């Protein structure tokens, strides 16, 4: 697995990129954030949530911890592939010609979102270099915490190659965590609709970025990134559409993939990668 308009699963970060690779670099592993383009909010069907444990204790208080079903849960990918094969014969053929996806990155939400901001609009190697220097400032990945990020001045961040705009995005993200608007635990508990609304309220995080975060960091099963160029091209190619599908048409055409539209989208990236490779081979011959 792995990183829309056209930018590149490690994935690079630019909103939107054409492959999951582009998405992964964005999260340094599968998310990406680019200064948001003001896309309209996409409606999501609220899913049931699964109780992971009875309580989690913090200090003197304890509270129930919930999270939505994850594609990293054992057996979930098998269920997804069975559903997609049965609901979409065209997708079934694509599934049979590719290895199944894996969703196993386990970074805390704050770290994933900060990393995504750092990767956006940069080539993977340049982004990785800046991210490494950022980790040094924070004392490693375990030190990428809201209070530590807020303690870094814009000047300190600029000295390691982070633009003033991105510095403001990082500080706004950290401030939202410090004031309680967001937290790692609340992000895990939010349904897709609420998460989309909450994260796009943060500077520098757009709809496409949230979709990548939900798929590649949170492993949400039913996310359709309607603004991703790679997924749009895949849908156009798979169904023989004359033009690139717009968001509403994407929702309609991919309705049959529910509740596993994330996996269906993953195969659209695979489809376009195969097409790109075939075109390169054809040009050489």
């Amino acid at each position: 697995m792995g990183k829309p308009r056209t930018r590149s699963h490690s994935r690079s970060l630019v909103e939107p990129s054409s492959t999951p690779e582009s998405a992964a670099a964005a999260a340094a592993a599968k998310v990406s954030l680019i200064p948001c383009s003001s896309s309209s909010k996409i409606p999501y069907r609220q899913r049931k949530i699964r109780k992971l444990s009875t309580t989690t204790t913090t200090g003197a208080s304890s509270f129930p911890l919930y999270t939505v079903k994850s594609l990293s849960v054992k057996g979930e990918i098998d269920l997804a592939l069975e559903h997609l094969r049965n609901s979409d014969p065209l997708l079934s053929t694509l599934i049979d010609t590719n290895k199944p996806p894996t969703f196993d990155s386990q970074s805390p939400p704050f770290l994933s979102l900060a990393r995504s901001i750092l990767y956006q609009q940069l080539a993977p190697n340049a982004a990785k270099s800046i991210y490494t220097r950022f980790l040094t400032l924070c004392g490693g990945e375990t030190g990428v915490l809201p209070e530590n990020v807020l303690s870094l001045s814009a000047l300190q961040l600029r000295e390691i190659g982070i633009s003033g705009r991105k510095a403001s995005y990082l500080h706004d993200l950290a401030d939202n965590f410090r004031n309680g608007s967001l937290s790692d635990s609340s992000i895990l508990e939010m349904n897709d609709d609420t998460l989309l609304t909450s994260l796009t309220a943060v500077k520098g995080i757009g709809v496409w970025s949230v979709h990548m975060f939900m798929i590649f960091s949170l492993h949400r099963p039913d996310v359709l990134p309607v603004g991703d160029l790679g997924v749009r091209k895949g849908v156009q190619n798979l169904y023989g559409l004359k033009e690139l599908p717009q968001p509403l048409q994407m929702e309609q055409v991919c309705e049959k993939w529910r509740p596993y539209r994330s996996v269906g989208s993953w195969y659209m990236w695979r489809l376009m990668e195969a097409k790109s490779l075939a075109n390169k081979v054809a040009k050489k011959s």
Side-chain angles (χ1 to χ4, degrees):
M1 236 202 56
K3 313 182 200 22
R5 297 149 211 171
T6 309
R7 296 157 168 127
S8 8
H9 213 67
S10 122
R11 295 179 167 50
S12 80
L13 297 202
V14 245
E15 175 166 335
S17 108
S18 58
T19 69
E21 280 66 35
S22 74
K30 286 113 191 182
V31 216
S32 110
L33 293 175
I34 154 170
C36 23
S37 66
S38 189
S39 317
S40 58
K41 303 281 189 294
I42 286 80
Y44 284 92
R45 180 180 67 176
Q46 184 169 346
R47 297 188 309 278
K48 292 182 179 179
I49 54 179
R50 174 179 300 166
K51 187 174 183 180
L52 290 187
S53 63
T54 53
T55 60
T56 295
T57 303
T58 305
S61 63
S62 62
F63 54 92
L65 177 62
Y66 295 91
T67 187
V68 298
K69 181 173 56 176
S70 167
L71 289 170
S72 54
V73 170
K74 185 177 180 179
E76 201 62 36
I77 292 296
D78 291 336
L79 292 175
L81 298 185
E82 180 182 8
H83 169 77
L84 293 172
R85 281 193 177 98
N86 292 334
S87 63
D88 190 341
L90 293 177
L91 196 54
S92 178
T93 300
L94 189 58
I95 290 171
D96 290 338
T97 58
N98 287 274
K99 293 182 178 180
T102 58
F103 296 84
D104 50 17
S105 62
Q106 297 296 332
S107 297
F110 180 77
L111 172 61
S112 293
L113 291 167
R115 180 171 51 202
S116 297
I117 288 174
L118 290 176
Y119 268 72
Q120 59 190 13
Q121 294 181 315
L122 293 176
N125 288 340
K128 183 178 180 180
S129 178
I130 291 175
Y131 179 63
T132 299
R133 295 196 291 269
F134 174 70
L135 292 183
T136 299
L137 276 183
C138 292
E141 288 195 331
T142 57
V144 181
L145 303 169
E147 57 271 25
N148 290 346
V149 171
L150 286 170
S151 72
L152 300 173
S153 68
L155 177 59
Q156 286 176 290
L157 294 173
R158 282 199 300 273
E159 287 175 344
I160 63 170
I162 298 173
S163 69
R165 176 173 292 183
K166 282 189 182 179
S168 72
Y169 294 165
L170 288 171
H171 285 155
D172 191 59
L173 174 67
D175 194 51
N176 272 273
F177 272 72
R178 181 179 63 176
N179 67 28
S181 297
L182 295 170
S183 68
D184 283 350
S185 59
S186 68
I187 284 174
L188 295 177
E189 295 166 3
M190 291 179 190
N191 61 43
D192 292 351
D193 241 353
T194 304
L195 186 58
L196 186 66
T197 300
S198 298
L199 290 184
T200 52
V202 177
K203 292 179 182 177
I205 299 181
V207 172
W208 178 84
S209 299
V210 179
H211 285 165
M212 297 301 105
F213 173 70
M214 289 196 291
I215 294 173
F216 296 113
S217 285
L218 302 184
H219 312 148
R220 297 283 174 96
D222 196 34
V223 179
L224 180 65
V226 295
D228 183 281
L229 184 59
V231 176
R232 292 174 66 201
K233 284 185 174 181
V235 169
Q236 179 188 22
N237 195 284
L238 186 67
Y239 297 106
L241 305 178
K242 292 183 178 180
E243 298 180 351
L244 276 176
Q246 297 302 312
L248 180 58
Q249 187 178 11
M250 288 280 288
E251 293 278 356
Q252 294 170 340
V253 171
C254 300
E255 177 66 22
K256 62 176 74 70
W257 296 353
R258 286 182 181 270
Y260 293 110
R261 293 181 297 171
S262 298
V263 180
S265 298
W266 189 89
Y267 279 102
M268 295 303 95
W269 283 310
R270 301 286 77 74
L271 173 60
M272 296 317 298
E273 286 176 354
K275 291 288 183 183
S276 177
L277 179 60
N279 288 337
K280 289 179 181 178
V281 171
K283 288 181 179 179
K284 289 182 179 180
S285 57

